[in-house]
Amino acid sequence: MDIDNCTSWLEIDLGAIRNNIRQLLQISKTNVMAVVKANGYGHGMEQVARAAIQAGATWCGLARLEEAVQLHQAGVNCNLLVMGHTRPSFIREAIARQIHVTVFDAQSAQDYAAQAQAMGIPLHIHVKIDSGMGRLGIFPEEGASFIRWLHTLPGLEIDGVFTHFARADEPSLPTTDQQLDRFCQTLQILEQSGLRPKWVHAANSAATIYFPRARFDLIRAGVATYGLHPSKDAMLPDTFRPAMTWKTRLTSVKRLPAGHGVSYTHRYITSKEELIGATAIGYADGFRRRLGNFALLHGKRVPVVGTV
C-alpha cells in the first residue's frame, strides 16, 4: 500500500487474524466459523476470509446472500452460511453455488423447497432457533416438530441447527445458561428422533470463551476474529491480538496559552500553556465525538481534547 498520498488509512494485520483463529481453535477444540459479514467488520471480507481459512477456519458466516456470492466468486474455499434472511428469488443462486441459507419460518421453507425442486438440486439449510434473542428463529418448543416437518419437503438438505445469545458478553448473568437449556431441550428431542443435524452451533465470541458447553460442533466468532473484546465484562485472553490500526498524520502543533478554548463549544479549555496538535481526521471519517478518546503519538498515549 502506498501511503504517501494518504492522510488517513487503516492497516490490517492478517497475521493477527490468523493468530486469533488459531487461539479460537485451541480454546474451543471444535470447528470455527469466521464471521466476515459487513465487509469483515470493516477489515476487508475477502482478505479476512482467506486468512481465517489459512489458520484453520472451515466456515465463513455472512449476513446476506450477496456477501456469500462475492466470496464464492472470489474463489474463497470454505463452507458459507447466510445467517440472515434470503429472498426466495435468490435461492437458485444459493443452490448453484452450494451456499447454506438460514430457515426460520414455514413460508420461506416452502418457497425455498419449490425452487430446489425446480432445479433438481438440494438446498443446504440451517434452522435457527430463537432461544431468547427475540429476533429471527423458531421457538425451541416448536423446533423439533418444525424440523420434522422440514424433512417432508423435497429439495431441502437440513445440515444445521443453531441459536444466538443475547447476553453472552455479560457472563455473570443467568440469561445465556437459560437460553442454552432451552436450546438443548430441542436438541435432545432431535437426537431421540434421529433428526439431529450434522452441525449444531450456538457460541458467539463471548460464549466460546465463557460458556464451554455452548461450543457443540462449531463456534461462530465475530469480534474475537478481529481481536476485539466482546465487552468489558467478557475480555479475550491476552493471546489475542487486534488486527486493525487506524493511522493519520499530525498536521499542526502549536502552544496555546492558559485559559484558551479548543475546538467547537470550547468544551476543553487549557489550564496552563499546553502543546496542542491537530490531525487530519474527524467525525466524517467515523472518529466519534465522545469524551475520552485518545491517540498514540509515536507509541505514547495522548488524550483527544476539544470536540472532534
Side-chain angles (χ1 to χ4, degrees), residues 20 22 26 40 46 50 66 93 95 118 140 143 158 160 180 183:
N20 298 339
R22 293 188 189 105
Q26 184 175 348
E46 293 179 25
R50 293 184 194 282
E66 307 94 282
E93 185 155 27
I95 294 171
I158 306 167
L180 264 171
F183 184 56

Side-chain angles (χ1 to χ4, degrees), residues 133-153:
M133 188 72 168
R135 301 194 312 197
L136 305 181
I138 296 291
F139 288 127
E141 296 75 18
E142 305 164 9
S145 59
F146 181 69
I147 289 174
R148 191 177 294 113
W149 172 74
L150 288 175
H151 277 278
T152 70
L153 297 180

Side-chain angles (χ1 to χ4, degrees), residues 63-296:
R64 301 181 176 93
L65 183 70
E66 307 94 282
E67 297 171 325
V69 169
Q70 181 181 335
L71 283 186
H72 186 268
Q73 289 176 331
V76 173
N77 186 24
C78 72
N79 297 301
L80 302 174
L81 172 63
V82 178
M83 298 179 291
H85 172 65
T86 300
R87 293 176 59 188
S89 58
F90 293 167
I91 287 300
R92 287 182 178 240
E93 185 155 27
I95 294 171
R97 298 181 184 276
Q98 295 188 314
I99 294 168
H100 300 240
V101 302
T102 296
V103 168
F104 48 83
D105 69 83
Q107 185 60 60
S108 293
Q110 291 174 321
D111 292 341
Y112 293 177
Q115 296 287 349
Q117 285 180 270
M119 290 184 69
I121 304 172
L123 170 68
H124 297 275
I125 66 170
H126 290 224
V127 178
K128 186 165 188 181
I129 304 295
D130 178 8
S131 60
M133 188 72 168
R135 301 194 312 197
L136 305 181
I138 296 291
F139 288 127
E141 296 75 18
E142 305 164 9
S145 59
F146 181 69
I147 289 174
R148 191 177 294 113
W149 172 74
L150 288 175
H151 277 278
T152 70
L153 297 180
L156 300 183
E157 190 77 33
I158 306 167
D159 288 349
V161 59
F162 71 106
T163 194
H164 191 38
F165 298 129
R167 307 184 79 172
D169 57 356
E170 300 173 278
S172 64
L173 297 179
T175 310
T176 303
D177 279 318
Q178 291 168 355
Q179 284 193 246
L180 264 171
D181 289 342
R182 294 185 71 195
F183 184 56
C184 286
Q185 288 172 4
T186 299
L187 291 181
Q188 185 177 10
I189 297 171
L190 291 172
E191 288 170 352
Q192 291 170 349
S193 306
L195 296 176
R196 185 190 192 277
K198 178 180 179 180
W199 299 104
V200 174
H201 47 109
N204 56 10
S205 294
T208 297
I209 307 297
Y210 291 92
F211 294 90
R213 73 184 182 110
R215 294 169 187 164
F216 296 109
D217 308 308
L218 176 67
I219 61 107
R220 305 186 308 268
V223 293
T225 294
Y226 308 96
L228 303 173
H229 299 295
S231 74
K232 61 181 179 60
D233 297 318
M235 305 288 280
L236 297 174
D238 292 339
T239 49
F240 284 77
R241 292 169 19 213
M244 179 184 288
T245 306
W246 186 4
K247 295 188 175 182
T248 188
R249 302 186 187 280
L250 194 62
T251 55
S252 170
V253 178
K254 61 184 177 183
R255 294 189 182 276
L256 293 184
H260 200 294
V262 178
S263 196
Y264 297 114
T265 74
H266 283 183
R267 187 166 64 180
Y268 181 83
I269 297 175
T270 57
S271 58
K272 59 183 185 304
E273 184 180 82
E274 295 184 37
L275 200 61
I276 301 294
T279 61
I281 59 170
Y283 61 83
D285 303 296
F287 198 77
R288 296 181 180 179
R289 279 186 159 185
R290 69 176 180 86
L291 295 172
N293 283 328
F294 68 91
L296 296 177

